[in-house]
Amino acid sequence: AQSVTQPDIHITVSEGASLELRCNYSYGATPYLFWYVQSPGQGLQLLLKYFSGDTLVQGIKGFEAEFKRSQSSFNLRKPSVHWSDAAEYFCAVAETGTYKYIFGTGTRLKVLA
Amino acid sequence: DTAVSQTPKYLVTQMGNDKSIKCEQNLGHDTMYWYKQDSKKFLKIMFSYNNKELIINETVPNRFSPKSPDKAHLNLHINSLELGDSAVYFCASSLTDSKDEAFFGQGTRLTVV
């Protein structure tokens, strides 16, 4: 069965520091992979997605993610974090022809001034 | 001009009551979803509809009944509310199926007292 693991429940970084959020998936075929961000009291906003092609994907707000098939990973990165990046981040996996997204348990990011 | 809108945003009700949450998308998408987010932020699929047809019913109690009058609307009716139904319910839509990114509404925070 498909599954997504986000090993880090909470991460705290200082403003201006680099960030990496981990995501591992369990899936047989080539997955469709997504990163979403949820600010308090808000819905989920798509940061970026990977379907095929270049394994380094650029997203909004300066985020990028790298797909590594050998490690079944899709880690999210940002070179310099801003205080406004504090939020909950979700990794998700899906398959074409299905009608559901499997989400990880989320990583809460705290940014120190 | 909100892409996926849900009403109400907050819902407080007593055990045993019946309530509905409405969702509309103006993106012209074929597929709509209901997700439940629990107190630990875990997102779980409840239902998905494609062109008004039920595709996924993810072992949700019969007290939950979705209805899709047209492909732009997916409402959720809940009978005999229980304390455990307290959660945030998200509506989402995608262009065709889950190979496309999902667009989420702002969520409905349901509190059963």
Side-chain angles (χ1 to χ4, degrees):
Chain A
Q2 304 166 32
S3 67
V4 178
T5 302
Q6 293 181 246
D8 305 304
I9 298 174
H10 294 103
I11 282 187
T12 300
V13 300
S14 297
E15 191 170 20
S18 62
L19 172 70
E20 182 169 31
L21 302 182
R22 296 182 291 165
C23 173
N24 293 94
Y25 64 91
S26 172
Y27 195 75
T30 300
Y32 290 78
L33 294 160
F34 308 85
W35 273 100
Y36 284 87
V37 60
Q38 183 181 24
S39 298
Q42 301 296 313
L44 280 74
Q45 180 184 21
L46 179 74
L47 288 174
L48 47 79
K49 60 186 179 184
Y50 173 77
F51 293 157
S52 65
D54 192 348
T55 56
L56 186 62
V57 181
Q58 302 298 318
I60 63 170
K61 305 186 180 188
F63 286 93
E64 67 177 25
E66 186 170 13
F67 171 64
K68 292 186 177 179
R69 185 188 300 276
S70 60
Q71 298 177 21
S72 296
S73 69
F74 188 55
N75 295 348
L76 182 71
R77 300 194 295 249
K78 187 169 185 177
S80 177
V81 170
H82 187 262
W83 64 266
S84 61
D85 293 325
E88 191 91 24
Y89 290 80
F90 293 94
C91 182
V93 66
E95 176 188 358
T96 188
T98 67
Y99 296 86
K100 66 178 177 181
Y101 306 86
I102 307 297
F103 284 87
T105 49
T107 298
R108 178 164 293 182
L109 174 65
K110 182 177 179 180
V111 180
L112 301 176
Chain B
D1 192 20
T2 305
V4 181
S5 59
Q6 310 178 214
T7 54
K9 187 167 183 178
Y10 300 97
L11 191 49
V12 181
T13 188
Q14 291 187 326
M15 283 175 53
N17 283 351
D18 304 337
K19 290 294 178 186
S20 292
I21 306 172
K22 295 187 175 183
C23 179
E24 175 181 5
Q25 54 96 2
N26 62 6
L27 298 167
H29 288 173
D30 288 342
T31 302
M32 296 186 73
Y33 311 80
W34 279 111
Y35 273 82
K36 179 179 181 180
Q37 186 175 48
D38 63 22
S39 58
K40 295 186 177 180
K41 300 289 188 180
F42 183 63
L43 283 153
K44 184 171 168 54
I45 182 76
M46 299 175 69
F47 303 102
S48 60
Y49 272 72
N50 177 260
N51 284 310
K52 304 191 301 177
E53 300 298 321
L54 177 66
I55 303 296
I56 285 181
N57 178 343
E58 197 82 350
T59 60
V60 179
N62 291 338
R63 298 183 296 103
F64 290 79
S65 52
K67 281 191 171 50
S68 183
D70 55 62
K71 75 173 194 176
H73 295 85
L74 180 60
N75 304 321
L76 184 64
H77 187 76
I78 316 170
N79 290 324
S80 304
L81 277 155
E82 301 177 357
L83 293 175
D85 296 332
S86 296
V88 181
Y89 293 84
F90 285 101
C91 177
S93 71
S94 65
L95 182 61
T96 55
D97 60 27
S98 53
K99 74 177 189 303
D100 304 307
E101 68 265 33
F103 290 76
F104 282 80
Q106 295 240 7
T108 296
R109 181 175 294 277
L110 172 64
T111 304
V112 183
V113 297

